[in-house]
Amino acid sequence: AQSVTQPDIHITVSEGASLELRCNYSYGATPYLFWYVQSPGQGLQLLLKYFSGDTLVQGIKGFEAEFKRSQSSFNLRKPSVHWSDAAEYFCAPEGTNAGKSTFGDGTTLTVKP
Amino acid sequence: EPEVTQTPSHQVTQMGQEVILRCVPISNHLYFYWYRQILGQKVEFLVSFYNNEISEKSEIFDDQFSVERPDGSNFTLKIRSTKLEDSAMYFCASSERSGAGNTEAFFGQGTRLTVV
């Protein structure tokens, strides 16, 4: 069965520190991979996506993610976190035949001043 | 930039009442989706829709739910007899293609449904 795991429910980092949010998936074939961000009470904003090719993808707001096939992972990173990055982050693989996304449980990011 | 729009942003309804959530997908998109997010939980897939029929649905999407594309622009989710546990944020999404690569679903801002 297809599944996605975000092992960290809640992460707290200091402003200016680096960030890595983990995502692991289990799919029959390599899915398309997405990261979304959701601020409290708001909708979903796409941060970045991976379909094929270069395994390091750049997104908006200074985020990047690296696809590692051997680890079935697609971790999200940012070198220097800003207070405005505090939000919920969702990893969402999309099955290539289904066209729908399966969302992870999400990771809540808190940024300390 | 084109966007998916959802109305209303917040709807309060009494238990047992019917509710219709409305979405206007991006105009050249062909695939449409509904997701829901119960407060504090993850986003869950409900249904996908293509060529005027449901292409996939989850176990959540039972007989009380239905979707429709009544005209060339709107995509609606109807809940026939709302229950308290239907209270959630409902997201509409659309995409140009499904499973064909190099495309993604664009999400609306959501409709918060509160059943009282």
Side-chain angles (χ1 to χ4, degrees), chain A residues 32 34 36 38 41-44 46 49 51-52 90 94-106, chain B residues 33 35 37 41-45 48 56 89 91 95 98-105 107-110 112:
Chain A
Y32 304 129
F34 304 87
Y36 292 90
Q38 185 181 34
Q42 300 298 309
L44 296 163
L46 179 68
K49 59 191 177 187
F51 292 116
S52 63
F90 293 97
E94 175 190 309
T96 55
N97 291 321
K100 67 171 176 65
S101 289
T102 299
F103 283 76
D105 289 335
Chain B
Y33 311 86
Y35 291 80
Q37 184 183 31
Q41 299 186 23
K42 68 180 178 183
V43 179
E44 301 171 291
F45 169 78
S48 59
E56 188 174 353
M89 181 78 93
F91 291 106
S95 68
S98 172
N102 294 327
T103 187
E104 74 264 19
F107 284 80
Q109 288 299 299
R112 179 164 297 287

Side-chain angles (χ1 to χ4, degrees), chain A residues 44-111:
Chain A
L44 296 163
Q45 183 179 24
L46 179 68
L47 281 176
L48 46 74
K49 59 191 177 187
Y50 172 79
F51 292 116
S52 63
D54 193 344
T55 56
L56 184 64
V57 294
Q58 303 297 319
I60 62 171
K61 305 185 178 186
F63 284 91
E64 65 179 27
E66 186 172 13
F67 167 63
K68 292 186 177 179
R69 185 189 304 273
S70 61
Q71 299 177 17
S72 295
S73 69
F74 188 57
N75 294 348
L76 182 71
R77 301 194 294 247
K78 186 169 184 178
S80 178
V81 168
H82 188 263
W83 64 266
S84 61
D85 293 325
E88 185 93 10
Y89 291 80
F90 293 97
C91 178
E94 175 190 309
T96 55
N97 291 321
K100 67 171 176 65
S101 289
T102 299
F103 283 76
D105 289 335
T107 298
T108 301
L109 174 66
T110 299
V111 181

Side-chain angles (χ1 to χ4, degrees), chain B residues 9-72:
Chain B
S9 57
H10 192 180
Q11 174 136 13
V12 181
T13 189
Q14 286 197 323
M15 190 169 54
Q17 294 296 304
E18 175 182 286
V19 66
I20 297 176
L21 309 183
R22 301 181 191 281
C23 169
V24 179
I26 294 173
S27 62
N28 64 330
H29 285 187
L30 302 176
Y31 294 84
F32 314 112
Y33 311 86
W34 283 102
Y35 291 80
R36 81 170 185 192
Q37 184 183 31
I38 295 171
L39 186 64
Q41 299 186 23
K42 68 180 178 183
V43 179
E44 301 171 291
F45 169 78
L46 289 178
V47 65
S48 59
F49 190 87
Y50 168 72
N51 199 25
N52 284 319
E53 61 182 27
I54 291 173
S55 49
E56 188 174 353
K57 61 182 181 179
S58 71
E59 61 275 9
I60 302 169
F61 194 87
D62 60 22
D63 291 344
Q64 72 160 343
F65 291 93
S66 63
V67 289
E68 190 178 31
R69 188 153 164 82
D71 53 43

